[in-house]
Amino acid sequence: MAAKIIIRDLTKIFEGRKTSVKALAGVNLSIEEGEFLCILGPSGCGKTTILRIMAGLETATSGEVVISQADKSRPLNSMVFQEHSLFPWLTVIDNVAFGLEMRGFSKNERHHRAAAFLETVGLSRFSHHFPHQLSGGMKQRVSLARAFVNDPEILLMDEPFASLDAQNKILLQDELLKIWEECRKTVVYITHSIDEALLLGDRIVVMTAAPGIFKEVMEVQFGRPRDVFEIKAKPEFGEMSLKIWKILESEVRKAREAEL
């Protein structure tokens, strides 16, 4: 399968007035079309920096990220952040349809498309509510719908469920998988959670403590479609989780020591 994203010798140094911080130290990876890639690593290892460079929100100090764009009429990427980032003055349906409005779609067309995704995430009856009237989990479901309805070539997701309680998190993971199964978009997903990476990913990249590089790339052996509840009950899930933790543990300890 052809590569959708190629990362070559990616390095990022943040320059301060007196000091500089090297966030990334020569990252290399090829991500296939339609792949769900999870990037896992300790705090401060450069995970989000990679995503922001992919999104064009940061520039690389050296190296490059090359994204193959198949259809110029579609957005190259949509990004889902840790916080919902909804516009408080817009209704739910207008938040979901915002990207379509920026692309020139008529009100009827964008509302038609947005309504279909709101039904998918179970929020049809909240279409005309405002963000302050929703729970945290509901706001992130709106963010998911907004990202998918815009039909980007790639989805960039930065710990979108990190702030949610355990029950809402697993329900949203399940919803995300169901939506993704229908479109099979290329996804790069940042997480701190080994369990989440195993539940969602085709491959998992484990990063070192800063300055970040890719320490190991692992294939996830669970087939698709997946049921997040059933997968967690498999003995292989625990075995793989332990294997990843053994790779990650020393990097987490290094990151903690650097903070002291």
Side-chain angles (χ1 to χ4, degrees):
M1 192 175 289
K4 184 67 175 178
I5 305 169
I6 298 174
I7 306 171
R8 295 193 187 102
D9 298 322
L10 188 66
T11 297
K12 177 64 179 180
I13 300 171
F14 291 99
E15 300 286 356
R17 289 185 178 180
K18 296 182 179 179
T19 60
S20 62
V21 176
K22 194 170 191 177
L24 300 170
V27 172
N28 291 278
L29 191 69
S30 178
I31 302 168
E32 293 183 352
E33 175 82 47
E35 182 175 8
F36 200 125
L37 182 87
C38 291
I39 302 179
L40 183 67
S43 296
C45 71
K47 301 186 299 295
T48 295
T49 300
I50 293 172
L51 215 64
R52 289 178 63 84
I53 292 171
M54 287 182 181
L57 302 175
E58 294 279 0
T59 56
T61 303
S62 62
E64 62 179 350
V65 174
V66 179
I67 302 173
S68 173
Q69 187 167 13
D71 184 351
K72 301 289 186 183
S73 69
R74 292 162 54 198
L76 184 58
N77 67 72
S78 287
M79 190 161 179
V80 183
F81 298 91
Q82 292 181 33
E83 300 299 327
H84 59 79
S85 68
L86 302 180
F87 299 115
W89 58 89
L90 294 180
T91 61
V92 165
I93 196 163
D94 284 326
N95 263 290
V96 173
F98 181 77
L100 298 176
E101 183 179 2
M102 294 299 98
R103 292 170 60 193
F105 284 79
S106 70
K107 184 174 182 178
N108 283 344
E109 178 64 15
R110 64 180 184 261
H111 275 200
H112 175 72
R113 294 190 182 202
F117 273 92
L118 284 173
E119 184 174 355
T120 299
V121 297
L123 290 176
S124 293
R125 67 190 184 95
F126 296 94
S127 294
H128 299 291
H129 285 58
F130 289 88
H132 75 271
Q133 298 173 298
L134 307 180
S135 68
M138 291 164 74
K139 289 173 185 175
Q140 283 302 72
R141 283 152 73 187
V142 175
S143 295
L144 280 181
R146 181 173 63 182
F148 277 97
V149 78
N150 211 25
D151 194 25
E153 298 237 351
I154 62 172
L155 275 171
L156 306 173
M157 309 187 79
D158 186 10
E159 298 191 76
F161 309 143
S163 63
L164 302 179
D165 62 77
Q167 289 121 342
N168 266 311
K169 183 181 293 187
I170 201 162
L171 287 171
L172 277 171
Q173 288 165 348
D174 197 49
E175 285 185 5
L176 171 59
L177 282 177
K178 286 173 182 173
I179 298 170
W180 178 82
E181 287 285 354
E182 294 179 5
C183 62
R184 291 292 179 124
K185 291 189 180 297
T186 307
V187 177
V188 182
Y189 191 102
I190 303 300
T191 181
H192 275 97
S193 167
I194 294 172
D195 282 9
E196 185 167 63
L198 284 171
L199 289 170
L200 300 178
D202 293 312
R203 284 191 300 166
I204 298 171
V205 176
V206 180
M207 291 188 70
T208 65
I213 60 171
F214 290 163
K215 183 175 183 178
E216 189 153 344
V217 181
M218 304 178 64
E219 299 278 347
V220 178
Q221 301 301 320
F222 306 120
R224 296 191 185 274
R226 292 179 187 170
D227 183 304
V228 298
F229 307 99
E230 291 179 2
I231 286 176
K232 293 190 83 169
K234 292 178 181 288
E236 302 96 308
F237 185 90
E239 292 166 8
M240 225 178 153
S241 180
L242 179 60
K243 182 179 178 181
I244 294 170
W245 171 243
K246 287 181 176 178
I247 297 167
L248 185 61
E249 182 181 13
S250 61
E251 303 304 328
V252 173
R253 294 188 185 280
K254 285 178 195 174
R256 288 184 65 184
E257 288 167 5
E259 293 172 356
L260 299 176

